């Protein structure tokens, strides 16, 4: 007996969505902080790129703010009693931008792509670790078989990774890794221009009529075209908005929030992201952070509240756990358990043998300065994280004599340093709508981005058990154990703040919003100009 997941049929309506009465020729220019590393949804890696992905591609399911799943390209789905077989019924009226038909064969081709060695090993090892095979059960019905029950699988089907790419394009794309103009989807916009370092341009898909449940309208997008300009400097983005060169910006710096709020012609929207907090992960595989006392001392030497106030001027939410406060799995019992005790920091370092100081005030042991280095990849530096690092740098020097050095490198150089274990700190946040996916990527011994190089069989077992059950309460208990082990028992992570997205826009721009599951800016599908 199979369980039917109760869903609404997309073909009827999208939860109150109204058909578009007309599609006027309106264009919008939007300034964004981060240039995409890739536009291939299945290789998506930057939270900032999520709205671009969903301009061009549609997923099989969508996810609501309460964690429930709703229809998108799949109108309904059934899960077998043993939770190993998922049967998806698909829309029958969808076409890719290249004119080919979306059907069960297309879904199978997209899932099979992840089985190609080296395509996306991180997703293959986490979100699709249980995936066995996909079968075409009927032209518009696909049957997916798992090797074991996996509570993260539906989340995968609603993520950018499940963005459906034309099978024809998967085979013929000149640059599959990056994506770009010849990698096409089914989304409300068609990518027709990309200029590296400058901009990306989309035009409306006139055939679009299959938005996710919860969209504000049906039919084609309101905008006839949208240009995203890459403006990494916050002051430049603000200037472009104020002068009318762009109508929307994201990545609003804290220093300009009050000014935007006072301007009657501008509106400010903000939303906390889901997933994990922005944290420093300590590399425990070599000195000095192989000593728990030094890890704890680094955290105690920093007054996080003061640092966040100085950098973000009251607009940042302090983090206490590896899991962000927006997640239903956040463990609030970790609050005020550590940090900001300078006397304790110095006592810990003394006990660890770092008792002497050099002429510049830094601690030394056996003639070696207490130096720790962070390696950051430039495409992932957002939210003034470089300024945040400078503030932390000043505090650990002044309060505890720690020499904290930060290197911001291009993506290739940063990856090389990480692979060669040439770092002591790794800063990271994840925007996964289910924090469990992020924890599985970061904490297990063999996880794809286990930058702490720490191993705890208990943590691995708890994460495995949480992934095997759909009982949210049980998952919460298991993830709480994981958080306590990482943050308190082993001190392998130093949570700093919960990432948020800010959008500032001309008041003439309507329909802006955030993805209910991730908290990141939504696609431009519902955006319009005027009332």
């Amino acid at each position: 007996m199979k369980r039917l997941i109760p869903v609404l049929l997309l073909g009827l309506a999208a939860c109150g969505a109204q058909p578009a009465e007309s599609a006027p020729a309106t264009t919008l220019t939007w300034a964004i902080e981060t240039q995409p590393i890739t536009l291939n949804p299945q290789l998506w890696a930057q939270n900032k790129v999520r709205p671009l992905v969903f301009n061009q591609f549609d997923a099989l399911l969508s996810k609501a703010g309460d964690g429930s799943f709703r229809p998108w390209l799949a109108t309904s789905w059934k899960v077998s009693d043993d939770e190993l077989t998922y049967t998806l019924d698909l829309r029958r009226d969808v076409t890719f931008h290249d004119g080919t038909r979306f059907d069960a064969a297309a879904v199978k081709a997209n899932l099979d792509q992840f089985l190609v060695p080296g395509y996306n090993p991180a997703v293959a090892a986490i979100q699709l670790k249980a995936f066995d095979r996909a079968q075409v059960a009927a032209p518009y019905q696909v049957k997916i078989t798992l090797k074991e029950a996996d509570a993260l699988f539906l989340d995968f089907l609603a993520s950018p990774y499940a963005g459906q790419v034309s099978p024809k394009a998967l085979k013929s794309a000149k640059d599959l890794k990056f994506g770009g103009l010849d990698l096409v989807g089914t989304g409300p916009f068609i990518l027709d221009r990309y200029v590296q370092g400058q901009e990306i341009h989309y035009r409306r898909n006139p055939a679009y009529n299959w938005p996710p449940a919860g969209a504000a309208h049906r039919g084609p997008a309101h905008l006839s075209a949208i240009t995203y300009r890459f403006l990494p400097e916050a002051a430049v983005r603000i200037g472009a908005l104020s002068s009318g060169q762009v109508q929307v910006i994201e990545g609003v710096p804290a220093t300009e929030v009050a000014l935007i709020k006072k301007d009657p012609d501008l509106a400010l929207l903000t939303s906390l992201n889901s997933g994990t907090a922005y944290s420093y992960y300590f590399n425990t595989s070599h000195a000095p952070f192989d000593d728990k006392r030094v890890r704890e001392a680094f955290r105690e030497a920093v007054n996080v509240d003061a640092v966040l106030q100085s950098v973000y001027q009251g607009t940042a939410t302090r983090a206490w756990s590896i899991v962000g406060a927006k997640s239903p799995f956040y463990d609030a019992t970790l609050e005020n358990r550590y940090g900001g005790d300078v006397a304790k920091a110095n006592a810990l370092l003394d006990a660890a043998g770092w008792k002497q100081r050099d002429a510049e005030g830094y601690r030394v042991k056996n003639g070696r300065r207490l130096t720790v280095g962070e390696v950051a990849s430039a495409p992932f530096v957002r939210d003034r994280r470089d300024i945040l690092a400078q503030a932390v740098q000043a505090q650990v020097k002044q309060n505890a004599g720690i020499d904290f050095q930060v290197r911001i490198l291009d993506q290739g150089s940063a990856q090389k340093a990480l692979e060669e274990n040439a770092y002591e700190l790794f800063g990271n946040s994840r925007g996964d709508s289910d924090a469990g996916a992020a924890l599985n990527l970061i904490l297990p011994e063999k996880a794809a981005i286990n930058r702490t190089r720490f191993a705890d069989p208990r943590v691995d077992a708890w994460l495995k058990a949480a992934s095997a059950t759909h009982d949210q309460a049980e998952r919460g208990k298991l993830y709480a154990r994981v958080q306590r082990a990482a943050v308190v028992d082993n001190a392998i992570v130093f949570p700093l703040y919960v990432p948020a997205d800010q959008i500032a826009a001309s008041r003439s721009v309507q329909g802006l919003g955030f993805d209910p599951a991730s908290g990141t800016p939504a696609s431009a599908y519902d955006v319009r100009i005027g009332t």
Side-chain angles (χ1 to χ4, degrees):
M1 181 69 179
K2 294 184 177 181
R3 296 187 292 114
L4 174 64
I5 305 299
V7 297
L8 296 175
L9 291 181
L10 262 180
L12 300 178
C15 293
Q18 298 299 315
E21 296 182 1
S22 62
T26 53
T27 63
L28 184 76
T29 304
W30 185 324
I32 59 176
E33 182 178 13
T34 307
Q35 180 169 296
I37 295 173
T38 176
L39 292 170
N40 181 336
Q42 297 166 358
L43 301 178
W44 164 75
Q46 299 157 287
N47 229 22
K48 292 285 190 177
V49 180
R50 192 181 183 111
L52 304 184
V53 167
F54 282 140
N55 274 347
Q56 190 179 1
F57 302 92
D58 299 317
L60 294 167
L61 306 179
S62 64
K63 191 173 185 179
D66 63 2
S68 63
F69 295 95
R70 302 187 294 189
W72 198 345
L73 293 183
T75 58
S76 64
W77 59 97
K78 298 176 183 177
V79 184
S80 61
D81 288 341
D82 61 6
E83 299 183 349
L84 297 181
T85 303
Y86 290 67
T87 303
L88 279 63
D89 290 313
L90 308 174
R91 291 191 66 119
R92 298 168 180 247
D93 58 345
V94 178
T95 54
F96 289 99
H97 299 158
D98 60 9
T100 58
R101 178 70 64 177
F102 167 76
D103 56 13
V107 175
K108 174 177 169 54
N110 276 265
L111 286 169
D112 287 348
Q113 183 64 40
F114 285 97
L115 299 178
V116 175
Y119 182 62
N120 192 332
V123 169
I126 303 299
Q127 288 93 335
L128 288 180
K129 70 179 186 301
F131 175 62
D132 183 23
R133 64 187 182 276
Q135 299 170 280
V136 176
Y140 293 95
Q141 185 181 80
V142 63
K143 182 179 291 186
I144 302 168
T145 303
L146 304 185
K147 292 175 283 190
E148 60 185 11
D150 186 359
L152 296 174
F153 187 67
L154 284 177
D155 191 74
F156 165 81
L157 297 179
S159 74
Y161 297 123
Q164 295 298 289
V165 180
S166 163
K168 179 181 176 181
L170 283 174
K171 294 179 180 178
S172 64
K174 297 177 182 177
D175 188 350
L176 183 58
K177 184 176 181 180
F178 176 73
L181 276 67
D182 56 350
L183 197 68
V184 302
T186 63
F189 292 93
I190 299 170
L191 174 63
D192 62 6
R193 184 172 73 248
Y194 174 79
V195 183
Q196 186 173 3
Q198 297 183 35
E199 66 182 30
I200 185 169
H201 183 270
Y202 297 91
R203 59 181 170 84
R204 179 168 54 206
N205 177 4
Y208 195 76
N209 195 31
W210 43 85
H217 80 286
R218 288 177 290 140
H222 297 298
L223 299 172
S224 59
I226 181 168
T227 300
Y228 292 89
R229 294 179 57 192
F230 308 139
L231 300 179
E233 296 295 329
V236 176
R237 291 195 301 277
I238 292 291
L241 179 64
S242 300
S243 64
Q245 297 177 58
V246 304
Q247 292 79 52
V248 185
I249 66 170
E250 58 87 28
V252 180
T255 53
E256 304 296 337
V257 167
L259 180 65
I260 290 173
K261 287 182 175 179
K262 291 179 181 178
D263 192 326
D265 296 324
L266 299 177
L268 179 70
L269 299 84
T270 186
S271 173
L272 290 179
N273 293 171
S274 61
T276 60
Y278 179 69
S279 307
Y280 285 156
Y281 293 86
F282 299 119
N283 184 349
T284 66
S285 69
H286 61 243
F289 288 139
D290 57 344
D291 189 328
K292 180 184 174 183
R293 294 169 296 185
V294 180
R295 302 196 295 269
E296 291 181 324
F298 190 98
R299 298 195 311 191
E300 295 299 336
V302 181
N303 182 333
V304 175
D305 290 326
V307 166
L308 295 181
Q309 179 61 35
S310 68
V311 176
Y312 301 110
Q313 300 184 14
T315 65
T317 299
R318 178 171 182 173
W320 289 99
S321 174
I322 184 175
V323 174
K326 184 177 179 179
S327 170
F329 301 126
Y330 172 65
D331 182 6
T333 67
L334 296 177
E335 295 177 6
N336 301 305
R337 294 282 296 273
Y338 61 89
D341 188 334
V342 174
K344 182 178 180 180
N346 284 284
L348 285 165
L349 292 176
D350 286 343
W354 296 92
K355 296 181 179 181
Q356 299 179 330
R357 305 255 185 165
D358 62 17
E360 296 180 62
Y362 293 112
R363 287 179 178 264
V364 294
K365 181 169 67 172
N366 300 326
R368 180 174 176 266
R369 177 182 284 186
L370 180 51
T371 300
V372 296
E374 178 196 8
V375 172
S377 177
F380 292 91
V381 176
R382 53 172 282 197
D383 301 345
R384 293 164 59 87
R385 289 175 180 176
D386 51 341
I387 308 301
L388 174 63
Q390 292 173 19
V392 172
Q393 181 184 58
Q395 288 228 338
V396 296
K397 176 185 178 182
Q398 177 181 339
N399 294 336
I402 300 172
D403 181 17
F404 177 33
Q405 300 180 358
V406 181
R407 290 187 294 159
I408 298 178
L409 306 174
D410 63 83
Q411 186 186 9
S413 299
Q415 184 63 35
K416 184 174 184 290
L418 294 171
E419 291 172 353
E420 293 178 350
N421 202 22
Y423 66 98
E424 286 73 45
L425 276 176
F426 174 70
N428 179 262
S429 64
R430 292 280 308 179
D432 305 86
S433 57
D434 190 310
L439 295 175
N440 276 282
L441 279 166
I442 295 168
L443 294 178
E445 181 179 4
K446 297 181 180 180
I449 54 172
N450 181 348
R451 305 303 187 195
T452 66
R453 298 177 182 252
F454 183 82
D456 185 338
R458 299 177 309 154
V459 169
D460 291 8
W462 293 332
L463 288 172
K464 184 176 182 180
S467 294
T469 177
H470 288 274
D471 184 327
Q472 293 298 87
E474 180 63 19
R475 292 182 74 204
K477 292 177 183 177
L478 291 165
Y479 289 142
R481 295 177 188 171
V482 169
Q483 292 170 72
R484 291 167 199 155
V487 178
V488 177
D489 298 346
N490 297 297
I492 61 173
V493 60
F494 183 12
L496 292 168
Y497 75 94
V498 183
D501 272 293
Q502 308 86 20
I503 299 173
S506 165
R507 289 198 178 274
S508 64
V509 181
Q510 304 294 315
L512 292 165
F514 299 93
D515 183 285
S518 68
T520 55
S523 77
Y525 173 66
D526 281 325
V527 177
R528 65 189 187 279
I529 298 176
T531 57

